[in-house]
Amino acid sequence: TLPVVHETGGLKDSVKGLWDDSHLEVATGFLFGGFNEGAMKHTLYTALSTFHHRKEAFKRMQSNAMRMSFYWPTAMDEYEKHVDWTMEGWPSRKPESWWSNHN
């Protein structure tokens, strides 16, 4: 089963959408944006149409999805790398006292 998800947060990062045939090599599901039923319905219809009328594309997407790895320790290592990088970087502006701006 391929996911149909709202493109937000971790879902947007982990599910690669089939926007057009140029994305078929990496597509792993169907994403929709916006907070309305029309966007979700459109994506559900696209998923159903792909399943019924483009079987090879759907199978390719399934294969892409099964090759993905979401092994938690690997994700934690990547997250820690970004935290370390952020904490070691120089501030983008001079630190200011809260009191100097709120007198």
Side-chain angles (χ1 to χ4, degrees):
T1 302
L2 293 174
V4 175
V5 301
H6 186 264
E7 54 179 1
T8 185
L11 292 173
K12 184 177 181 180
D13 295 338
S14 58
V15 177
K16 306 299 179 203
L18 179 64
W19 305 115
D20 57 42
D21 283 347
S22 68
H23 293 95
L24 188 57
E25 297 299 315
V26 295
T28 59
F30 302 90
L31 294 97
F32 64 94
F35 293 97
N36 62 64
E37 65 184 60
M40 184 177 179
K41 280 182 180 179
H42 175 74
T43 303
L44 285 171
Y45 291 143
T46 300
L48 288 169
S49 177
T50 303
F51 176 77
H52 287 292
H53 304 293
R54 300 183 62 207
K55 297 235 182 248
E56 288 304 315
F58 196 86
K59 286 179 184 178
R60 177 58 191 225
M61 292 173 69
Q62 286 178 313
S63 178
N64 293 345
M66 288 188 287
R67 282 194 310 273
M68 300 296 292
S69 172
F70 297 105
Y71 184 59
W72 184 241
T74 303
M76 288 181 355
D77 290 344
E78 185 70 18
Y79 175 77
E80 287 176 351
K81 181 176 75 174
H82 286 284
V83 169
D84 291 345
W85 176 78
T86 300
M87 297 304 288
E88 292 171 1
W90 290 95
S92 60
R93 64 185 181 109
K94 180 181 173 186
E96 299 172 4
S97 166
W98 184 87
W99 294 107
S100 66
N101 293 322
H102 296 86
N103 290 329

